[in-house]
Amino acid sequence: MPETKQPVVLLIGEFQSPQFRGALSDGQPADMLKSVDCHRVKLLPDAISEIANGELIPDLVISYQSIPDEYSAADIDQLIGMLPLSRFVVAFSPWCESIGRTEQRWPSAWSVPLAHAAARIRLELQQLTADKPPLLATTSRDEAFATLAGGSLARTEQPGRGMTARVISADVPLRECFESVVGSLGFEILVNDSENRATTVHILVAPFVDSETFKLIHHLRDNNSAATIIVASDMATPGEAISLREAGAAAVISQLRFAEDLADHFRVGSASEPEVAAGK
């Protein structure tokens, strides 16, 4: 029987930094990276040189951007052009959270906050093993969301079956999108407050965490202390995530990884041991 080829992974950047190593402290991604052919370079031109010399053709490129403008647009474009079949995960530090507004040199579909890097790396390695096609550089953020969410829903066994859920958001299209995802996970959706039904799970969509977010959590907790409250927010800092949990939220999950995070939360039975995804 032919030996299975070991995936080749290229790490670019300050991968020895506590922040980057902390992102991979999750046992699963850390163990998976130990089982691959891993190459490390600090500078993007060094990676370009190794690839140009034929020394390296990575299956997966993981780049850590620790500060804004760390990599030049020309170098990024050259690297991407040299690796049309490779997968990419670009993890950006909290110092680079303006990516997508003031800077977007890396394709948006490949860019994730450092807090989500471990889960995305794990997913890309799983997709690589399953011989699934990578996200293209031209993939939009919406298309990436649909693809990743669809993949998560295809793998789930409907962990929400037997529970009712209400999605709370002032953004109607976003609320309807999340209701569709929640319904696909097996939850029965309760649309309005007039339904005389007990809500098992409240999903509060909070793009920005403010005093109103905490007031709503306290209101939901006072009205139904048995219900699970999930906050979906990509802007919550680790400190805010802790405060949200102290206020009564069972978990803080990502909006961009909504399907994956919600499925993971209930799949592992974490309602009794809540986890703060945004604070990882």
Side-chain angles (χ1 to χ4, degrees):
M1 181 180 293
E3 192 173 320
T4 303
K5 180 179 176 292
Q6 196 175 32
V8 178
V9 177
L10 172 62
L11 295 176
I12 303 173
E14 296 283 355
F15 53 86
Q16 292 296 341
S17 71
Q19 292 83 3
F20 187 77
R21 287 190 297 172
L24 301 184
S25 62
D26 180 342
Q28 289 181 315
D31 290 344
M32 293 178 82
L33 284 179
K34 288 177 183 176
S35 66
V36 303
D37 182 8
C38 206
H39 300 256
R40 297 172 171 84
V41 297
K42 185 175 180 180
L43 303 175
L44 207 156
D46 293 338
I48 291 173
S49 177
E50 289 192 24
I51 295 166
N53 293 335
E55 301 173 27
L56 177 65
I57 302 178
D59 298 299
L60 171 62
V61 177
I62 303 170
S63 177
Y64 173 46
Q65 180 163 324
S66 57
I67 58 174
D69 303 320
E70 183 172 0
Y71 305 112
S72 74
D75 285 344
I76 291 173
D77 289 344
Q78 184 177 356
L79 178 70
I80 293 173
M82 297 171 76
L83 300 171
L85 302 180
S86 298
R87 297 175 178 276
F88 283 78
V89 175
V90 181
F92 55 85
S93 78
W95 292 100
C96 304
E97 288 188 351
S98 63
I99 281 181
R101 298 191 301 274
T102 61
E103 174 194 348
Q104 191 63 67
R105 295 180 179 179
W106 293 100
S108 61
W110 298 346
S111 302
V112 296
L114 188 57
H116 304 157
R120 185 63 173 270
I121 291 168
R122 181 171 65 244
L123 174 64
E124 291 296 341
L125 287 171
Q126 290 170 343
Q127 295 284 80
L128 178 61
T129 302
D131 201 26
K132 300 291 185 181
L135 290 172
L136 301 177
T138 54
T139 303
S140 70
R141 194 179 297 274
D142 288 347
E143 290 170 331
F145 175 87
T147 299
L148 297 173
S152 176
L153 295 176
R155 295 190 303 272
T156 186
E157 296 178 354
Q158 293 197 324
R161 186 171 296 172
M163 291 188 279
T164 58
R166 190 187 309 276
V167 180
I168 303 169
S169 173
D171 186 328
V172 175
L174 181 62
R175 189 199 74 218
E176 292 175 344
C177 173
F178 281 7
E179 285 176 344
S180 177
V181 171
V182 172
S184 297
L185 291 172
F187 292 88
E188 180 185 353
I189 305 299
L190 300 181
V191 178
N192 56 61
D193 293 329
S194 64
E195 296 181 65
N196 189 23
R197 303 281 304 282
T199 303
T200 308
V201 180
H202 290 288
I203 299 169
L204 173 58
V205 184
F208 299 96
V209 177
D210 55 19
S211 60
E212 293 302 317
T213 309
F214 289 95
K215 286 180 183 178
L216 184 51
I217 290 175
H218 289 306
H219 173 72
L220 295 173
R221 176 61 61 222
D222 291 342
N223 283 354
N224 184 0
S225 60
T228 298
I229 300 173
I230 305 291
V231 178
S233 176
D234 282 306
M235 299 301 290
T237 66
E240 288 172 334
I242 292 172
S243 296
L244 289 167
R245 282 186 60 183
E246 291 174 344
V252 180
I253 66 174
S254 167
Q255 288 180 239
L256 293 176
R257 296 188 60 252
F258 179 76
E260 302 98 297
D261 282 0
L262 188 64
D264 286 347
H265 179 82
F266 286 97
R267 185 183 294 119
V268 299
S270 55
S272 59
E273 297 181 20
E275 166 182 26
V276 182
K280 286 183 181 177

